[in-house]
């Protein structure tokens, strides 16, 4: 690894170096592992928080430029540390707790939301050999863990003792559960071809150049990608599927009663979730960290993910919000049949070996 | 339900937002960048001075004070023995002013005008009450059309009983939209003279003339 000529530092080498150094100190294997994984966890947590902060800034800039405004311009070059200042402000704010809240539920909702948003990154392949734990049920684990977000939203709605919040939470639960079905079905289309649930295997199955990526497996690849991205948009409660926080109807949805850092946790978790679904889309359809060798793999991964994030942001500032019944109709009457038909087509292709 | 048509429309929506994303923002970053206000915009009220003598054009006729709907203008002009008013103090309370421009319309001597300046916030109400000196000072560099001079010239012309210069002038001032064959030197002069602001002034002048004519006709 170290002998290989690369333009930029490979992160994997850094971790290996850390591991070797720790082992050299003569600690027992258990302690070395604990320290290594704790460091990894802190690094990933820090990096993702930073990414979430910058996604907020980016979203504000993109929404502004779509409407031919500037967006934040005052803090640094084009307001680059605006969201950092926002986060600092939210940290200092008073934590308002209404008297009629359900104390335990109200307290734990943002915590669960925040933790659940970060859990998926245990199996996220950031780059070549750059993964915390390559579970053999990788994608299944992600699907299971990201669903925790619904529970937290429902808890926030219930604990707030506020009809707007409760309605937001209920809507969110209904929506996310509905869209889970087409999402999993479109992921299954890819799983059929990989034959493994491990994220590393999924990436390796697409190694090589562009035409090995699953999004280009015509006809089912592009369709699976489209259905996945629609379901993913609904999954992270973004426009046009943002009825859980529809401003006109529900003030702000499940997080009306939250303030200060608890609100910030919901807000950051939302953007981390957006990054998660984009990262999954990249892993499944765009070849993960595969690309030309002269650019480090983790940069490929980040770049592709940010492009998908940009797409999600453009969705938000292009499309109007759907009504609740239209939303459900779209999920059950259109997306579910399409994804299952797609799944069958993919199965036929796999059985006869018609793909390239 | 036609899903293909729907998808096409969705893509078209993305195209439009993508197109706008590439364009430059039209926002003006206010404290750093400012608009040049149009010549006839209504900002602060100023008193105008004669360009040659530097004295105020105001004759203390009190018309603007009467025209002001919010009583923002207060004029102190005592009469002398010949019952002629002499301007002593002229106060405009910009806290009361509603920037309607009626004082400017009422004035027959091009003595009061609404300038283009619009930033005059202050920390107290009293600072918004401006007296004659400050108003004159603010009005020093404000470009304006002196209607009094035109009156004088017109009176002179009438006294000399020469051929009335007005029609000639009107012909000259007509915009050369169907470009007449002129001597090149004259055209160059014209081009040099008529900047945008001056053109507007000319049009203003014409308007004032018309108004005066109307008034004369009425009287």
């Amino acid at each position: 690894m170290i002998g290989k000529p690369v333009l930029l530092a490979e992160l994997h080498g850094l971790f290996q170096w850390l591991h070797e150094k720790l082992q050299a100190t003569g600690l027992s294997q258990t302690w070395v592992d604990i320290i290594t994984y704790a460091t990894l966890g802190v690094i990933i947590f820090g990096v993702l928080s930073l990414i979430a902060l910058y996604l907020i800034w980016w979203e504000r800039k993109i929404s502004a430029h779509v409407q031919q405004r500037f967006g934040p311009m005052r803090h640094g070059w084009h307001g680059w540390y605006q969201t950092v200042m926002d986060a600092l402000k939210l940290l200092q704010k008073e934590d308002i707790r209404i008297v009629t809240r359900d104390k335990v539920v109200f307290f734990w909702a943002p915590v669960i939301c925040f933790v659940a948003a970060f859990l998926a990154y245990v199996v996220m392949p950031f780059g070549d050999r750059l993964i915390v734990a390559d579970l053999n049920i990788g994608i299944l684990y992600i699907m299971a863990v990201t669903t925790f977000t619904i529970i937290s939203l429902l808890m926030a709605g219930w604990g707030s003792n506020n009809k707007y919040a409760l309605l937001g939470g209920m809507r969110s639960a209904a929506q996310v559960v509905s869209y889970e079905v087409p999402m999993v079905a479109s992921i299954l289309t890819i799983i059929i071809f990989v034959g493994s649930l491990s994220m590393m295997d999924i990436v390796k199955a697409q190694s090589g150049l562009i035409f090995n990526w699953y999004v280009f497996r015509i006809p089912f690849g592009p369709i699976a990608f489209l259905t996945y991205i629609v379901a993913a948009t609904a999954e992270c409660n973004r426009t046009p599927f943002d009825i859980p926080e529809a401003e006109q109807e529900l003030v702000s949805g499940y997080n009306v009663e939250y303030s200060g850092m608890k609100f910030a946790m919901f807000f950051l978790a939302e953007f981390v979730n957006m990054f998660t679904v984009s990262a999954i889309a990249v892993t499944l359809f765009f070849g993960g960290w595969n690309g030309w060798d002269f650019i480090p793999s983790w940069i490929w991964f980040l770049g592709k993910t940010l492009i998908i994030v940009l797409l999600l942001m453009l969705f938000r500032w292009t499309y109007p919000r759907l009504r609740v019944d239209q939303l459900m109709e779209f999920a059950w009457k259109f997306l579910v049949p399409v994804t299952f038909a797609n799944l069958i087509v993919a199965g036929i292709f796999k059985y006869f070996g018609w793909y390239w | 339900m036609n899903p293909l048509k729907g998808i096409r429309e969705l893509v078209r929506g993305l195209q439009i937002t993508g197109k706008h994303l590439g364009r430059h923002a039209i926002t003006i970053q206010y404290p750093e960048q400012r608009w040049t206000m149009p010549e006839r915009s209504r900002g602060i009220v100023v008193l105008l001075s004669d360009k040659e003598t530097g004295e105020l054009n105001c004759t203390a006729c009190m018309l603007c004070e009467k025209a002001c709907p919010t009583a923002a203008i207060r004029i102190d002009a005592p009469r002398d023995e010949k019952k002629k008013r002499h301007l002593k103090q002229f106060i405009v309370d910009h806290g009361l002013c509603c920037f309607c421009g009626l004082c400017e319309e009422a004035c027959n001597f091009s003595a009061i005008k609404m300038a283009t300046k619009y930033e005059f916030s202050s920390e107290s109400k009293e600072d918004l009450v401006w007296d004659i000196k400050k108003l004159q000072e603010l009005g020093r560099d404000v470009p304006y059309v002196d209607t009094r001079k035109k009156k004088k010239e017109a009176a002179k012309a009438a006294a000399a009983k020469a051929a009335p210069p007005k029609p000639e002038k009107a012909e000259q001032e007509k915009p050369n939209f169907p470009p007449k064959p002129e001597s090149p030197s004259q055209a160059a002069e014209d081009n040099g003279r008529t900047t945008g602001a001056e053109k507007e002034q000319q049009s203003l002048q014409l308007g004032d003339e018309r108004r005066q004519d109307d008034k004369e006709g009425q009287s």
Side-chain angles (χ1 to χ4, degrees):
Chain A
M1 193 74 235
I2 287 150
K4 190 180 158 196
V6 278
L7 285 179
L8 281 160
E10 278 283 5
L11 287 175
H12 178 74
L14 201 71
F15 293 129
Q16 222 169 28
W17 173 83
L18 180 73
H19 204 256
E20 278 163 14
K21 280 279 165 193
L22 281 170
Q23 267 177 335
T25 55
L27 280 167
S28 71
Q29 188 60 38
T30 327
W31 279 107
V32 169
D33 279 348
I34 286 175
I35 293 172
T36 321
Y37 280 115
T39 323
L40 263 181
V42 168
I43 289 172
I44 286 180
F45 186 78
V47 166
L48 282 173
S49 302
L50 217 64
I51 285 176
L53 279 179
Y54 276 92
L55 286 187
I56 296 171
W57 172 69
W58 209 29
E59 166 119 51
R60 288 176 68 176
K61 290 307 268 191
I62 282 173
S63 68
H65 279 280
V66 162
Q67 296 160 7
Q68 295 186 16
R69 300 181 282 115
F70 278 120
M73 285 294 274
R74 295 284 158 199
H75 292 281
W77 180 81
H78 281 244
W80 67 269
Y81 63 88
Q82 170 82 46
T83 42
V84 179
M85 300 312 270
D86 284 349
L88 282 179
K89 184 205 78 174
L90 282 171
L91 268 172
Q92 295 167 16
K93 279 185 91 168
E94 185 194 355
D95 181 22
I96 300 166
R97 288 161 291 185
I98 48 165
V99 184
T100 48
R101 73 192 187 276
D102 186 325
K103 277 176 191 151
V104 181
V105 177
F106 188 82
F107 177 79
W108 284 104
V111 178
I112 289 180
C113 188
F114 201 58
V115 171
F118 285 96
L119 273 180
Y121 289 90
V122 172
V123 294
M124 201 61 81
F126 288 104
D128 194 5
R129 277 174 287 175
L130 201 66
I131 186 167
V132 179
D134 188 13
L135 299 184
N136 55 2
I137 51 158
I139 191 80
L140 179 66
Y141 167 81
I142 287 181
M143 295 320 296
V145 143
T146 47
T147 321
F148 268 113
T149 316
I150 321 166
I151 299 174
S152 69
L153 300 192
L154 208 52
M155 278 168 75
W158 181 259
S160 297
N161 199 1
N162 176 318
K163 57 190 168 192
Y164 293 123
L166 182 59
L167 264 178
M170 296 299 278
R171 280 185 180 193
S172 161
Q175 175 189 316
V176 177
V177 167
S178 305
Y179 277 88
E180 198 93 336
V181 180
M183 192 174 175
V184 171
S186 39
I187 288 175
L188 269 183
T189 328
I190 305 307
I191 300 300
I192 284 178
F193 281 93
V194 183
S196 164
L197 289 170
S198 155
M199 295 295 266
M200 249 7 197
D201 287 351
I202 294 172
V203 175
K204 273 171 191 159
Q206 304 175 64
S207 62
L209 282 178
I210 281 182
F211 289 104
N212 287 330
W213 299 355
Y214 281 125
V215 73
F216 294 110
R217 289 284 161 89
I218 296 163
F220 51 85
I223 295 173
F225 172 66
L226 284 180
T227 49
Y228 172 80
I229 206 82
V230 169
T233 318
E235 198 87 341
C236 42
N237 297 328
R238 287 178 64 79
T239 331
F241 305 106
D242 68 338
I243 52 160
E245 40 194 291
E247 285 91 355
Q248 291 84 357
E249 300 148 36
L250 297 176
V251 193
S252 168
Y254 56 87
N255 56 19
V256 215
E257 295 293 352
Y258 284 90
S259 60
M261 208 49 215
K262 283 179 184 165
F263 173 75
M265 279 159 100
F266 275 122
F267 205 65
L268 282 180
E270 197 185 313
F271 280 85
V272 173
N273 276 334
M274 188 166 81
F275 194 77
T276 315
V277 293
S278 310
I280 297 170
V282 166
T283 313
L284 288 172
F285 300 99
F286 289 94
W289 40 260
N290 281 313
W292 288 294
D293 277 341
F294 59 84
I295 298 172
S297 53
W298 56 277
I299 288 184
W300 274 108
F301 179 81
L302 257 180
K304 287 174 186 175
T305 310
L306 287 179
I307 289 170
I308 304 286
V309 167
L310 175 69
L311 192 68
L312 286 180
M313 284 177 180
L314 266 185
F315 280 172
R316 174 160 182 184
W317 298 101
T318 307
Y319 302 135
R321 181 185 303 129
L322 273 77
R323 226 190 311 142
V324 186
D325 58 326
Q326 289 171 337
L327 193 86
M328 289 297 162
E329 241 176 63
F330 182 65
W332 291 106
K333 289 188 183 169
F334 181 75
L335 269 190
V336 170
V338 164
T339 45
F340 275 97
N342 196 26
L343 189 60
I344 291 166
V345 172
I348 293 168
F349 268 67
K350 170 78 179 175
Y351 182 77
F352 290 107
W354 284 344
Y355 58 91
W356 65 92
Chain B
M1 197 168 80
N2 187 349
L4 279 180
K5 197 184 164 199
I7 287 169
R8 210 174 62 220
E9 292 298 316
L10 289 178
V11 169
R12 236 176 59 184
L14 278 183
Q15 274 175 354
I16 287 169
T17 43
K19 203 172 72 193
H20 281 268
L21 187 64
R23 283 184 190 166
H24 200 263
I26 55 169
T27 319
I28 291 170
Q29 296 279 297
Y30 166 61
E32 288 92 25
Q33 305 171 342
R34 276 150 214 254
W35 234 29
T36 33
M37 297 302 285
E39 179 60 31
R40 292 175 72 176
S41 64
R42 302 202 295 252
I44 56 167
V45 177
V46 294
L47 287 179
L48 302 169
S49 318
D50 196 296
K51 271 163 196 160
E52 285 141 26
T53 59
E55 283 168 16
L56 283 171
N57 289 351
C58 185
T59 55
C61 66
M62 318 291 272
L63 277 180
C64 50
E65 194 186 22
K66 276 169 196 152
C68 185
T70 55
I73 298 175
R74 289 197 299 277
I75 302 173
D76 182 17
R79 290 170 186 271
D80 62 4
E81 313 87 61
K82 292 176 191 168
K83 288 202 169 181
K84 186 174 160 46
R85 285 185 185 277
H86 290 281
L87 187 64
K88 210 165 112 190
Q89 184 58 283
F90 195 107
I91 290 170
V92 178
D93 188 346
H94 277 81
L96 286 177
C97 182
C98 66
F99 306 98
C100 59
L102 287 180
C103 48
E104 192 184 336
E105 267 180 46
C107 188
N108 286 328
F109 304 97
S110 33
I112 193 166
K113 192 175 187 290
M114 312 216 78
T116 53
K117 190 183 167 186
Y118 54 92
E119 295 155 309
F120 55 95
S121 63
S122 71
E123 285 175 10
S124 72
K125 269 201 293 193
E126 287 72 35
D127 290 351
L128 289 173
V129 183
W130 295 350
D131 67 347
I132 188 163
K133 271 184 190 163
K134 183 158 188 194
L135 291 170
Q136 189 176 13
E137 217 41 59
L138 284 166
R140 280 264 187 242
D141 303 325
V142 176
Y144 71 98
V145 180
D146 200 342
T147 49
R148 293 175 315 145
K149 237 165 225 174
K150 290 209 63 72
K151 235 179 180 178
K152 275 179 199 165
E153 279 167 16
K156 267 183 200 168
K161 283 181 185 174
K166 266 185 183 176
E168 264 182 40
K169 226 181 182 182
E171 260 182 316
Q172 266 186 2
E173 284 185 354
K174 256 181 197 168
N176 343 325
F177 276 140
K180 287 173 196 169
E182 279 177 315
S183 65
S185 63
Q186 205 181 343
E189 262 180 35
D190 270 354
N191 283 342
R193 248 188 311 171
T194 49
T195 55
E198 267 178 324
K199 255 184 195 170
E200 206 170 41
Q201 275 184 20
Q202 278 176 5
S203 64
L204 267 174
Q205 210 167 342
L206 284 173
D208 285 346
E209 266 177 20
R210 218 175 296 132
R211 210 180 298 146
Q212 274 181 5
D213 288 350
D214 285 351
K215 273 178 191 166
E216 277 166 15
Q218 275 170 12
S219 62

PDB file of all heavy atoms in Angstrom, chain A residues 328-346:
ATOM      1  N   MET A 328     -49.584   8.320  -1.353  1.00  0.00           N
ATOM      2  CA  MET A 328     -49.814   6.898  -1.081  1.00  0.00           C
ATOM      3  C   MET A 328     -50.164   6.164  -2.372  1.00  0.00           C
ATOM      4  O   MET A 328     -49.697   5.053  -2.628  1.00  0.00           O
ATOM      5  CB  MET A 328     -50.940   6.729  -0.068  1.00  0.00           C
ATOM      6  CG  MET A 328     -50.538   7.149   1.305  1.00  0.00           C
ATOM      7  SD  MET A 328     -49.212   6.081   1.863  1.00  0.00           S
ATOM      8  CE  MET A 328     -48.552   7.028   3.182  1.00  0.00           C
ATOM      9  N   GLU A 329     -50.999   6.832  -3.188  1.00  0.00           N
ATOM     10  CA  GLU A 329     -51.391   6.223  -4.460  1.00  0.00           C
ATOM     11  C   GLU A 329     -50.167   5.964  -5.325  1.00  0.00           C
ATOM     12  O   GLU A 329     -50.018   4.904  -5.916  1.00  0.00           O
ATOM     13  CB  GLU A 329     -52.326   7.179  -5.197  1.00  0.00           C
ATOM     14  CG  GLU A 329     -53.700   6.613  -5.457  1.00  0.00           C
ATOM     15  CD  GLU A 329     -54.567   7.655  -6.106  1.00  0.00           C
ATOM     16  OE1 GLU A 329     -54.237   8.083  -7.233  1.00  0.00           O
ATOM     17  OE2 GLU A 329     -55.557   8.037  -5.481  1.00  0.00           O
ATOM     18  N   PHE A 330     -49.295   6.956  -5.337  1.00  0.00           N
ATOM     19  CA  PHE A 330     -48.096   6.831  -6.164  1.00  0.00           C
ATOM     20  C   PHE A 330     -47.237   5.666  -5.687  1.00  0.00           C
ATOM     21  O   PHE A 330     -46.709   4.894  -6.495  1.00  0.00           O
ATOM     22  CB  PHE A 330     -47.299   8.142  -6.097  1.00  0.00           C
ATOM     23  CG  PHE A 330     -46.075   8.150  -6.952  1.00  0.00           C
ATOM     24  CD1 PHE A 330     -46.185   8.086  -8.328  1.00  0.00           C
ATOM     25  CD2 PHE A 330     -44.818   8.221  -6.389  1.00  0.00           C
ATOM     26  CE1 PHE A 330     -45.061   8.088  -9.119  1.00  0.00           C
ATOM     27  CE2 PHE A 330     -43.691   8.219  -7.181  1.00  0.00           C
ATOM     28  CZ  PHE A 330     -43.815   8.154  -8.548  1.00  0.00           C
ATOM     29  N   ALA A 331     -47.135   5.517  -4.374  1.00  0.00           N
ATOM     30  CA  ALA A 331     -46.299   4.434  -3.843  1.00  0.00           C
ATOM     31  C   ALA A 331     -46.898   3.074  -4.165  1.00  0.00           C
ATOM     32  O   ALA A 331     -46.211   2.200  -4.699  1.00  0.00           O
ATOM     33  CB  ALA A 331     -46.130   4.592  -2.339  1.00  0.00           C
ATOM     34  N   TRP A 332     -48.182   2.894  -3.857  1.00  0.00           N
ATOM     35  CA  TRP A 332     -48.755   1.545  -3.922  1.00  0.00           C
ATOM     36  C   TRP A 332     -49.271   1.189  -5.299  1.00  0.00           C
ATOM     37  O   TRP A 332     -49.268   0.026  -5.678  1.00  0.00           O
ATOM     38  CB  TRP A 332     -49.873   1.390  -2.895  1.00  0.00           C
ATOM     39  CG  TRP A 332     -49.328   1.408  -1.504  1.00  0.00           C
ATOM     40  CD1 TRP A 332     -49.428   2.440  -0.615  1.00  0.00           C
ATOM     41  CD2 TRP A 332     -48.586   0.376  -0.857  1.00  0.00           C
ATOM     42  NE1 TRP A 332     -48.793   2.111   0.542  1.00  0.00           N
ATOM     43  CE2 TRP A 332     -48.267   0.857   0.430  1.00  0.00           C
ATOM     44  CE3 TRP A 332     -48.160  -0.889  -1.235  1.00  0.00           C
ATOM     45  CZ2 TRP A 332     -47.544   0.095   1.330  1.00  0.00           C
ATOM     46  CZ3 TRP A 332     -47.450  -1.636  -0.324  1.00  0.00           C
ATOM     47  CH2 TRP A 332     -47.139  -1.144   0.944  1.00  0.00           C
ATOM     48  N   LYS A 333     -49.764   2.191  -6.044  1.00  0.00           N
ATOM     49  CA  LYS A 333     -50.370   1.866  -7.337  1.00  0.00           C
ATOM     50  C   LYS A 333     -49.394   1.991  -8.489  1.00  0.00           C
ATOM     51  O   LYS A 333     -49.633   1.496  -9.576  1.00  0.00           O
ATOM     52  CB  LYS A 333     -51.571   2.785  -7.608  1.00  0.00           C
ATOM     53  CG  LYS A 333     -52.749   2.486  -6.725  1.00  0.00           C
ATOM     54  CD  LYS A 333     -53.928   3.296  -7.196  1.00  0.00           C
ATOM     55  CE  LYS A 333     -55.114   3.092  -6.286  1.00  0.00           C
ATOM     56  NZ  LYS A 333     -56.161   4.071  -6.599  1.00  0.00           N
ATOM     57  N   PHE A 334     -48.313   2.716  -8.282  1.00  0.00           N
ATOM     58  CA  PHE A 334     -47.376   2.882  -9.398  1.00  0.00           C
ATOM     59  C   PHE A 334     -46.003   2.294  -9.084  1.00  0.00           C
ATOM     60  O   PHE A 334     -45.520   1.405  -9.787  1.00  0.00           O
ATOM     61  CB  PHE A 334     -47.253   4.366  -9.765  1.00  0.00           C
ATOM     62  CG  PHE A 334     -46.320   4.616 -10.909  1.00  0.00           C
ATOM     63  CD1 PHE A 334     -46.713   4.318 -12.203  1.00  0.00           C
ATOM     64  CD2 PHE A 334     -45.049   5.126 -10.699  1.00  0.00           C
ATOM     65  CE1 PHE A 334     -45.852   4.525 -13.256  1.00  0.00           C
ATOM     66  CE2 PHE A 334     -44.185   5.328 -11.751  1.00  0.00           C
ATOM     67  CZ  PHE A 334     -44.583   5.025 -13.035  1.00  0.00           C
ATOM     68  N   LEU A 335     -45.394   2.768  -7.995  1.00  0.00           N
ATOM     69  CA  LEU A 335     -44.010   2.360  -7.729  1.00  0.00           C
ATOM     70  C   LEU A 335     -43.888   0.873  -7.419  1.00  0.00           C
ATOM     71  O   LEU A 335     -43.016   0.192  -7.955  1.00  0.00           O
ATOM     72  CB  LEU A 335     -43.441   3.170  -6.564  1.00  0.00           C
ATOM     73  CG  LEU A 335     -42.709   4.460  -6.899  1.00  0.00           C
ATOM     74  CD1 LEU A 335     -42.017   4.998  -5.670  1.00  0.00           C
ATOM     75  CD2 LEU A 335     -41.687   4.234  -7.994  1.00  0.00           C
ATOM     76  N   VAL A 336     -44.786   0.353  -6.581  1.00  0.00           N
ATOM     77  CA  VAL A 336     -44.671  -1.056  -6.197  1.00  0.00           C
ATOM     78  C   VAL A 336     -44.839  -1.982  -7.407  1.00  0.00           C
ATOM     79  O   VAL A 336     -43.988  -2.859  -7.633  1.00  0.00           O
ATOM     80  CB  VAL A 336     -45.663  -1.382  -5.063  1.00  0.00           C
ATOM     81  CG1 VAL A 336     -45.731  -2.872  -4.819  1.00  0.00           C
ATOM     82  CG2 VAL A 336     -45.244  -0.666  -3.797  1.00  0.00           C
ATOM     83  N   PRO A 337     -45.876  -1.818  -8.244  1.00  0.00           N
ATOM     84  CA  PRO A 337     -45.970  -2.667  -9.441  1.00  0.00           C
ATOM     85  C   PRO A 337     -44.759  -2.546 -10.358  1.00  0.00           C
ATOM     86  O   PRO A 337     -44.238  -3.558 -10.835  1.00  0.00           O
ATOM     87  CB  PRO A 337     -47.223  -2.164 -10.146  1.00  0.00           C
ATOM     88  CG  PRO A 337     -47.996  -1.474  -9.126  1.00  0.00           C
ATOM     89  CD  PRO A 337     -47.041  -0.942  -8.131  1.00  0.00           C
ATOM     90  N   VAL A 338     -44.300  -1.307 -10.555  1.00  0.00           N
ATOM     91  CA  VAL A 338     -43.166  -1.109 -11.468  1.00  0.00           C
ATOM     92  C   VAL A 338     -41.924  -1.807 -10.940  1.00  0.00           C
ATOM     93  O   VAL A 338     -41.235  -2.531 -11.668  1.00  0.00           O
ATOM     94  CB  VAL A 338     -42.889   0.404 -11.672  1.00  0.00           C
ATOM     95  CG1 VAL A 338     -41.523   0.622 -12.272  1.00  0.00           C
ATOM     96  CG2 VAL A 338     -43.946   1.007 -12.544  1.00  0.00           C
ATOM     97  N   THR A 339     -41.642  -1.629  -9.631  1.00  0.00           N
ATOM     98  CA  THR A 339     -40.422  -2.237  -9.097  1.00  0.00           C
ATOM     99  C   THR A 339     -40.510  -3.760  -9.131  1.00  0.00           C
ATOM    100  O   THR A 339     -39.509  -4.423  -9.422  1.00  0.00           O
ATOM    101  CB  THR A 339     -40.160  -1.770  -7.651  1.00  0.00           C
ATOM    102  OG1 THR A 339     -41.379  -1.845  -6.936  1.00  0.00           O
ATOM    103  CG2 THR A 339     -39.597  -0.396  -7.612  1.00  0.00           C
ATOM    104  N   PHE A 340     -41.698  -4.304  -8.859  1.00  0.00           N
ATOM    105  CA  PHE A 340     -41.789  -5.767  -8.859  1.00  0.00           C
ATOM    106  C   PHE A 340     -41.697  -6.328 -10.276  1.00  0.00           C
ATOM    107  O   PHE A 340     -41.061  -7.361 -10.490  1.00  0.00           O
ATOM    108  CB  PHE A 340     -43.055  -6.225  -8.142  1.00  0.00           C
ATOM    109  CG  PHE A 340     -42.842  -6.308  -6.649  1.00  0.00           C
ATOM    110  CD1 PHE A 340     -43.226  -5.276  -5.820  1.00  0.00           C
ATOM    111  CD2 PHE A 340     -42.206  -7.394  -6.085  1.00  0.00           C
ATOM    112  CE1 PHE A 340     -42.997  -5.334  -4.462  1.00  0.00           C
ATOM    113  CE2 PHE A 340     -41.974  -7.468  -4.717  1.00  0.00           C
ATOM    114  CZ  PHE A 340     -42.378  -6.426  -3.907  1.00  0.00           C
ATOM    115  N   ALA A 341     -42.308  -5.627 -11.227  1.00  0.00           N
ATOM    116  CA  ALA A 341     -42.171  -6.054 -12.627  1.00  0.00           C
ATOM    117  C   ALA A 341     -40.705  -6.018 -13.038  1.00  0.00           C
ATOM    118  O   ALA A 341     -40.180  -6.936 -13.687  1.00  0.00           O
ATOM    119  CB  ALA A 341     -42.997  -5.140 -13.528  1.00  0.00           C
ATOM    120  N   ASN A 342     -40.036  -4.958 -12.603  1.00  0.00           N
ATOM    121  CA  ASN A 342     -38.616  -4.787 -12.888  1.00  0.00           C
ATOM    122  C   ASN A 342     -37.801  -5.926 -12.285  1.00  0.00           C
ATOM    123  O   ASN A 342     -36.882  -6.464 -12.914  1.00  0.00           O
ATOM    124  CB  ASN A 342     -38.169  -3.440 -12.314  1.00  0.00           C
ATOM    125  CG  ASN A 342     -36.859  -3.001 -12.876  1.00  0.00           C
ATOM    126  OD1 ASN A 342     -36.511  -3.390 -13.979  1.00  0.00           O
ATOM    127  ND2 ASN A 342     -36.125  -2.218 -12.118  1.00  0.00           N
ATOM    128  N   LEU A 343     -38.199  -6.299 -11.070  1.00  0.00           N
ATOM    129  CA  LEU A 343     -37.513  -7.382 -10.367  1.00  0.00           C
ATOM    130  C   LEU A 343     -37.644  -8.680 -11.148  1.00  0.00           C
ATOM    131  O   LEU A 343     -36.667  -9.437 -11.316  1.00  0.00           O
ATOM    132  CB  LEU A 343     -38.122  -7.521  -8.973  1.00  0.00           C
ATOM    133  CG  LEU A 343     -37.444  -8.439  -7.967  1.00  0.00           C
ATOM    134  CD1 LEU A 343     -36.039  -7.965  -7.721  1.00  0.00           C
ATOM    135  CD2 LEU A 343     -38.225  -8.436  -6.670  1.00  0.00           C
ATOM    136  N   ILE A 344     -38.862  -8.923 -11.679  1.00  0.00           N
ATOM    137  CA  ILE A 344     -39.093 -10.150 -12.442  1.00  0.00           C
ATOM    138  C   ILE A 344     -38.251 -10.145 -13.718  1.00  0.00           C
ATOM    139  O   ILE A 344     -37.600 -11.140 -14.072  1.00  0.00           O
ATOM    140  CB  ILE A 344     -40.598 -10.294 -12.772  1.00  0.00           C
ATOM    141  CG1 ILE A 344     -41.365 -10.577 -11.474  1.00  0.00           C
ATOM    142  CG2 ILE A 344     -40.840 -11.406 -13.774  1.00  0.00           C
ATOM    143  CD1 ILE A 344     -42.842 -10.410 -11.607  1.00  0.00           C
ATOM    144  N   VAL A 345     -38.230  -8.968 -14.382  1.00  0.00           N
ATOM    145  CA  VAL A 345     -37.424  -8.857 -15.601  1.00  0.00           C
ATOM    146  C   VAL A 345     -35.962  -9.142 -15.301  1.00  0.00           C
ATOM    147  O   VAL A 345     -35.287  -9.900 -16.009  1.00  0.00           O
ATOM    148  CB  VAL A 345     -37.592  -7.451 -16.230  1.00  0.00           C
ATOM    149  CG1 VAL A 345     -36.615  -7.257 -17.366  1.00  0.00           C
ATOM    150  CG2 VAL A 345     -39.015  -7.273 -16.724  1.00  0.00           C
ATOM    151  N   ALA A 346     -35.494  -8.562 -14.210  1.00  0.00           N
ATOM    152  CA  ALA A 346     -34.089  -8.762 -13.821  1.00  0.00           C
ATOM    153  C   ALA A 346     -33.830 -10.238 -13.537  1.00  0.00           C
ATOM    154  O   ALA A 346     -32.786 -10.786 -13.915  1.00  0.00           O
ATOM    155  CB  ALA A 346     -33.763  -7.918 -12.600  1.00  0.00           C
TER     156      ALA A 346
END
